Each structure stands twice: as C-alpha cells, then as structure tokens.
Amino acid sequence: MSHKNSILLVDPEFDPSTAPDCNLLLKITADSFSYAIIDKTSNQLKAVYDQQECRDIARDVSTKLKNDSYLNLPFKDIKVAVYTENSISVPNALFDAQNLDQYAKFFTEEQSDNLYIRPFSSYGFTSIFTLHRFIDEALADSLLSCKLFDQLAPVLAMAKDQSQKSLILDFTAVSFNAVVTDEEKMIFRNYYEVENTEEFNYYLLFIINQLELNTKECHVQLSGIVHENDHYYQCIAKYFKNISFNTPLSDQVDHKILDDMPAHYYSSLLALDICE
C-alpha cells in the first residue's frame, strides 16, 4: 500500500524482464486511476494497481508515471482509457475527417492542443476528444507509444454483442459512468459524481425517466466499486430485476491474482485489452 486509497497486487512470479511480452492497460477516470499488466504469452494477469478518491487526478497520474518502476518497463502494447469532459460522439454519417477543427468548438474545459480520434465501428460513431493538458503531457513524456481511448471504450467493449437494451454502470468510489446500449447502438452516456445513496437514486431515476427504460426488461450490468447488497445495489434493485456483474473474460485471461477480491472491480480496466 503506497497510498491510503490504493492497492497493488502482483503475481510473485512476475519477472519485469518479460515486459516486452506484456500489455499495459491504464484507466484514468475523473477521480481514480488503475493499471494492469497482462503477459500475452501466457495470458496471465501479472499486476493490478488501483488508486481511488484522487483529489488532483492530473498531479497523481503524473507522479505515478514518473515514479512507478512498473510503468517504465518496455511493454509490447500500451492502451490508455482517459476520462475527459471534452469528448463528443459523432455518428459516422456526419463525421468529417477533413475538417476536424470544427469539433473543437464544442469543448469548453481546459484542453491540450492535441485532438484525438477513435472510431467505434461496431456502434456506428467516432469519438473525438482532447485531454487535460497536464495528463496529455504526462502521457506523452512517459508512455510515448500508447494508444489512447475515450473512457467509454472498455465499457462499450463489455457491452458488445448484447441482444437487449442494457444499462451499464461502472463505479469508482465516488462516481459512476452510465451507458445505455440497445443492441449495437449507444443511446446514452454520462458521468456522475455522487456523495450518497440519495443522490445516486436521483440520477438513476433521471436516467430511467429520461430514456423511458422498461425496468422489467432492461439488463443492468455493474462493474467497479460496487457490491451485491450495498446501498447502491439495493437502490438499483428497487427498480430493476435483471442485474448482473461484469466479470473479466476468464476464458481469455488467467486473473488468479484477483481471487481474494471481487473480480468485477477491474473488469472495465481489463476490457481495455480487447479495445481496438
């Protein structure tokens, strides 16, 4: 434990010299960040780090990138999903690759000068986003070859091939990311900070009413810092009957280092590995 709200799990057999055979996955939210190292030769999860309740996410990420010896290894592939308020989803029919600057006018928060584009071909739209300047600089300095994704990417990867309308809720300790999909269409996305169950209940009812969700049929998928029968789960169960936890794809990656804790804590982080 290097921080009061952090945890590091490492396979005792992990040899850092095998990093060229490993993928690094890094997930940065508005208030937390986590990373995972997967050996692609053996398909084993070798390390997981998680830090919650970050008061200054840009500073904390920058410090970790500079000081964590694992993050400085020469990995085979590096994928990073980053939360940013400067993100829009443009239907492919309206996307103009020759005139990208027009999209920047929709961004209101402090931003870097770099514009990132990531297609979601399965869902028929393209994500366009910029990052907080300090996070952008920290990633450029430490992880030059990383592939950047909108924070939405691993959540949609988990929802792929769903045959029914689904509400996906991905929690940190103090916030949640909500996405609603209907087969291969994304029909809603938003990020919410929550201080208590009452506030969560308000946002949940807003989503239900705004989207006219059929709570008897809609499938709710949970991941992140949420437990069965905790206050958030009980709140969800008041309205929905079909609730499940998104767990890592066990047939693809051996994640035995997570055996002593709920595997769904890190399912969205690990889903980054299947993002393209």
Side-chain angles (χ1 to χ4, degrees):
M1 301 283 286
S2 60
H3 183 278
K4 66 178 181 178
N5 296 315
S6 69
I7 186 171
L8 174 64
L9 304 173
V10 181
D11 183 339
E13 297 181 357
F14 175 50
D15 181 357
S17 68
T18 63
D21 297 322
C22 300
N23 282 1
L24 172 66
L25 313 175
L26 175 61
K27 177 184 173 185
I28 304 170
T29 75
D31 50 66
S32 70
F33 67 94
S34 54
Y35 71 74
I37 299 172
I38 299 177
D39 188 317
K40 299 301 290 184
T41 300
S42 61
N43 279 329
Q44 290 182 315
L45 180 61
K46 291 299 184 179
V48 169
Y49 175 84
D50 183 33
Q51 182 169 322
Q52 295 288 320
E53 298 182 72
C54 299
R55 294 185 178 181
D56 187 336
I57 188 67
R59 180 199 64 192
D60 289 347
V61 168
S62 179
T63 300
K64 195 66 179 175
L65 287 171
K66 291 177 181 177
N67 299 328
D68 191 319
S69 59
Y70 287 126
L71 294 178
N72 293 304
L73 296 173
F75 293 102
K76 177 180 181 180
D77 203 4
I78 302 173
K79 297 182 179 181
V80 184
V82 189
Y83 167 81
T84 172
E85 293 188 16
N86 291 338
S87 176
I88 57 174
S89 303
V90 181
N92 287 341
L94 302 176
F95 177 64
D96 182 1
Q98 305 302 317
N99 192 18
L100 296 178
D101 289 343
Q102 67 176 314
Y103 301 110
K105 65 184 179 182
F106 297 106
F107 301 146
T108 58
E109 297 299 314
E110 180 183 1
Q111 59 187 350
S112 73
D113 294 329
N114 297 318
L115 192 67
Y116 297 102
I117 302 167
R118 183 62 61 177
F120 287 82
S121 55
S122 298
Y123 290 90
F125 71 90
T126 297
S127 177
I128 303 172
F129 58 97
T130 63
L131 304 182
H132 187 289
R133 179 167 57 87
F134 295 123
I135 291 180
D136 204 18
E137 291 174 355
L139 292 173
D141 290 341
S142 302
L143 303 177
L144 282 174
S145 60
C146 70
K147 299 177 182 177
L148 283 173
F149 296 85
D150 185 302
Q151 184 186 343
L152 189 66
V155 177
L156 287 179
M158 292 189 295
K160 191 177 179 181
D161 300 326
Q162 288 288 323
S163 59
Q164 63 188 114
K165 184 171 290 187
S166 297
L167 169 61
I168 305 104
L169 303 175
D170 188 37
F171 290 83
T172 72
V174 293
S175 65
F176 71 98
N177 199 28
V179 176
V180 177
T181 63
D182 190 357
E183 295 183 344
E184 293 187 347
K185 295 180 181 179
M186 183 188 72
I187 59 178
F188 177 83
R189 65 172 292 182
N190 211 343
Y191 160 83
Y192 302 92
E193 295 181 1
V194 287
E195 293 186 359
N196 50 52
T197 310
E198 290 73 22
E199 193 169 20
F200 174 72
N201 186 76
Y202 170 82
Y203 289 132
L204 185 61
L205 282 176
F206 173 80
I207 294 170
I208 293 171
N209 293 329
Q210 188 77 10
L211 302 179
E212 299 181 345
L213 297 181
N214 184 330
T215 56
K216 293 182 179 180
E217 297 181 2
C218 183
H219 180 201
V220 179
Q221 302 176 61
L222 307 178
S223 58
I225 312 301
V226 60
H227 308 273
E228 188 170 4
N229 297 323
D230 72 5
H231 293 308
Y232 289 157
Y233 187 96
Q234 291 173 358
C235 182
I236 296 166
K238 287 193 304 183
Y239 309 108
F240 295 92
K241 304 302 180 185
N242 188 2
I243 307 171
S244 63
F245 288 95
N246 273 320
T247 54
L249 303 176
S250 57
D251 59 331
Q252 295 186 19
V253 176
D254 177 357
H255 47 80
K256 63 182 178 182
I257 66 171
L258 300 179
D259 284 350
D260 293 332
M261 62 194 317
H264 65 267
Y265 271 19
Y266 304 113
S267 53
S268 59
L269 169 65
L270 299 180
L272 249 179
D273 201 41
I274 59 175
C275 292
E276 296 296 342

